[in-house]
Structures are given as C-alpha cells and as structure tokens.
Amino acid sequence: MSAHIYKKVEIVGSSATSIEDAVNNAVAKAAESIRHIRWVEIVETRCHVEEQKIAYWQVTVKIGFTLDEN
C-alpha cells in the first residue's frame, strides 16, 4: 500500500440555523466536485448581523482529501 497524498481547499459555508449546519453545507457542496474527502478543519467562524440579530452563520473550513492514485 502506498502513502496517501492529501490536498486541502478552503471554502466558506453558511447557514441561517447554526454553525454545524454551515459546516455541513460546505462539506455537502464540496462533495459535489471533490472525491475522497477525509477531514474538515474549521478555520474561522463568524456571523452576519441584521437588525441587531444574527441573520446567518459563516464558517471557513479547509477540506482535506486524498488524491487519486495512478
């Protein structure tokens, strides 16, 4: 078995509901075009405020995945 080689991409997920949903949304969207996702690293969490209330959460994540072996 050969050593795995990984790549990371950084994306931002959002949700009006929760931080966890924002992360899940980011992973779900990434999974549409990235195969072999292995981990998610949360880099930054913030929220957008409208009328003195949190309107939605934004979470910056780095998604790690293995590259295809040839």
Side-chain angles (χ1 to χ4, degrees), residues 31-48:
E32 291 177 10
S33 60
I34 298 173
R35 295 187 312 267
H36 313 300
I37 293 175
R38 299 294 184 232
W39 76 84
V40 176
E41 177 182 337
I42 297 173
V43 177
E44 181 179 32
T45 305
R46 63 187 167 278
C47 53
H48 178 75

Side-chain angles (χ1 to χ4, degrees), residues 12-66:
V12 178
S14 65
S15 169
T17 309
S18 69
I19 294 168
E20 185 175 351
D21 280 349
V23 173
N24 284 326
N25 291 341
V27 172
K29 189 63 176 176
E32 291 177 10
S33 60
I34 298 173
R35 295 187 312 267
H36 313 300
I37 293 175
R38 299 294 184 232
W39 76 84
V40 176
E41 177 182 337
I42 297 173
V43 177
E44 181 179 32
T45 305
R46 63 187 167 278
C47 53
H48 178 75
V49 176
E50 293 178 359
E51 298 179 11
Q52 309 307 314
K53 294 183 180 179
I54 295 172
Y56 58 89
W57 296 93
Q58 295 177 324
V59 180
T60 303
V61 296
K62 289 184 181 179
I63 296 182
F65 56 97
T66 54

Side-chain angles (χ1 to χ4, degrees), residues 1-7 36 38-39 65-69:
M1 182 166 119
S2 63
H4 287 131
I5 303 300
Y6 299 92
K7 181 172 180 143
H36 313 300
R38 299 294 184 232
W39 76 84
F65 56 97
T66 54
L67 298 175
D68 288 335
E69 292 188 31

